[in-house]
Amino acid sequence: MQKIFVAGKLLEKTEEVLKQMGATFWTGTGKISEEELKKGAKDAEAIICPLSAPITSDVLTASPKLKIVANVGAGFDNIDVQKAQELGIAVTNTPKVSTESTAELSFGLILDVMRRISEGDRLLRTHPEEFKGWAPTFFLGRELHGKTLGIIGLGQIGQAVAERAFAFGMKILYSGHHPKEVAQKWDARFVSQEELLEKSDVVSVHAAYSDELYHLFQKETFQKMKKTAFLVNASRGKVIDEAALVEALETKEIAGAALDVFEFEPHVNERLTKFENVVLTPHIGNATVETREQMGDMAVANVKAVLAGDAPIHSVY
């Protein structure tokens, strides 16, 4: 039987299928290490792994029988794709199935940070005495209706966020990927990134990560934003220089932020946790039962195809 090594916990439904295929499972907790990967996958023909698994050049070369690395996730920056291609190892991901769940979470973050939902929940749990009942000036947030949402990257997820924003009566600007024929139905306008930063009340990041986007948001970027603007990021943590973000929040360069991903994940900058105008969620953009089941199904399908001698279904190159 062909050996499949599973480098992280998956949903029970997916694991049951893999057990029937004779897979072996890493049984540790947290994030698997490079050394544990080398040991577990040394005789494997397939690795199924989460985005947190470091599939480095050393891991790939230490697995001479390896035919495929199947990432359970749309991203694949945890894998040395160039080395895999050199070695003739297929690399697959699970594209598109995360679109609706990640868009829902992203828009939830926008609602949360602008209307101070989590902040209000904390107030009632920790300082209920401060709530004296309805009052004209108490706990004021910002309405979404009529505000401008700037979307960086109008791909599948960006489009799904735009659709939700349009339903809330928001005006939409976007930069980066620009499918003009699609954007017309939301009256979305393509602008330069600089104009987007200057005019948006909320900036939401949905661009696919590449080295060019490292620290896209830094000190100079925040200075271009409105002082009343909010930053939302459910894409990749490295897009934001968190030290610069902390400084921008401390100096009130921007009004607040909502983050689902972090620069040094899983470490979360402790200074970010001190701000009441910052919403933090633990990388749960596509964390729904429905999406994770589909991701598992796709990873298994990719492995079955390659081990049967067929082309991968969702190759990243």
Side-chain angles (χ1 to χ4, degrees):
M1 185 175 285
Q2 293 158 314
K3 184 176 178 183
I4 302 167
F5 179 66
V6 184
K9 182 70 177 172
L10 302 175
L11 267 64
E12 184 177 351
K13 175 186 172 184
T14 306
E15 290 191 345
E16 283 302 318
V17 172
L18 288 167
K19 286 175 184 176
Q20 292 173 18
M21 295 170 65
T24 58
F25 297 80
W26 177 63
T27 56
T29 57
K31 175 182 174 181
I32 191 170
S33 69
E34 190 174 348
E35 288 305 313
E36 288 171 313
L37 269 164
K38 287 181 185 178
K39 182 179 178 181
K42 65 180 180 179
D43 296 318
E45 293 183 68
I47 297 174
I48 294 182
C49 58
L51 290 169
S52 56
I55 311 297
T56 63
S57 174
D58 287 348
V59 170
L60 295 170
T61 54
S63 308
K65 299 179 182 178
L66 195 60
K67 297 177 181 177
I68 178 173
V69 177
N71 238 23
V72 181
F76 47 88
D77 48 292
N78 59 310
I79 302 170
D80 189 331
V81 175
Q82 183 177 342
K83 187 64 177 179
Q85 194 168 12
E86 289 175 7
L87 295 171
I89 299 168
V91 178
T92 63
N93 64 343
T94 57
K96 298 183 180 180
V97 292
S98 299
T99 298
E100 298 302 327
S101 53
T102 305
E104 287 177 357
L105 189 279
S106 299
F107 203 74
L109 291 175
I110 294 170
L111 273 169
D112 194 333
V113 73
M114 292 186 72
R115 293 304 309 273
R116 303 173 69 184
I117 296 171
S118 290
E119 187 182 351
D121 180 76
R122 286 194 299 272
L123 175 81
L124 292 181
R125 292 175 188 274
T126 59
H127 300 288
E129 71 283 355
E130 292 187 21
F131 177 50
K132 310 295 184 183
W134 185 93
T137 60
F138 179 68
F139 227 78
L140 301 180
R142 297 280 183 175
E143 287 186 13
L144 280 69
H145 187 271
K147 298 299 189 300
T148 298
L149 171 64
I151 299 176
I152 297 179
L154 199 68
Q156 294 291 330
I157 296 172
Q159 291 174 36
V161 171
E163 186 173 17
R164 288 157 175 77
F166 184 71
F168 272 70
M170 299 188 81
K171 302 170 187 175
I172 301 165
L173 302 177
Y174 66 101
S175 65
H177 183 60
H178 54 287
K180 294 181 180 178
E181 66 288 347
V182 175
Q184 287 176 353
K185 62 182 175 181
W186 309 302
D187 294 326
R189 188 161 64 89
F190 177 71
V191 296
S192 68
Q193 188 170 290
E194 187 164 345
E195 183 177 352
L196 183 147
L197 293 170
E198 291 173 352
K199 293 185 176 179
S200 297
D201 299 297
V202 188
V203 177
S204 192
V205 187
H206 300 287
Y209 185 75
S210 63
D211 290 341
E212 290 75 24
L213 292 180
Y214 177 74
H215 282 187
L216 172 65
F217 285 86
Q218 50 188 277
K219 183 174 182 177
E220 294 76 13
T221 319
F222 293 120
Q223 290 173 343
K224 293 176 182 177
M225 294 174 65
K226 292 182 179 181
K227 291 188 181 299
T228 55
F230 299 88
L231 173 64
V232 176
N233 185 20
S235 59
R236 287 290 182 269
K238 293 178 182 179
V239 169
I240 298 175
D241 179 345
E242 288 184 358
L245 173 58
V246 167
E247 183 180 347
L249 291 164
E250 288 176 341
T251 59
K252 302 188 186 319
E253 199 73 55
I254 62 172
L259 309 174
D260 185 51
V261 289
F262 306 92
E263 184 177 2
F264 302 106
E265 196 168 315
H267 172 73
V268 179
N269 189 321
E270 187 176 358
R271 294 168 71 189
L272 287 172
T273 68
K274 308 300 181 184
F275 294 102
E276 289 293 345
N277 57 339
V278 173
V279 177
L280 305 172
T281 52
H283 203 152
I284 55 173
N286 60 24
T288 65
V289 172
E290 295 84 356
T291 292
R292 295 288 169 85
E293 284 187 347
Q294 290 181 74
M295 291 165 69
D297 290 346
M298 291 172 76
V300 170
N302 281 310
V303 167
K304 284 183 174 179
V306 170
L307 295 187
D310 298 325
I313 302 168
H314 305 101
S315 177
V316 306
Y317 61 79

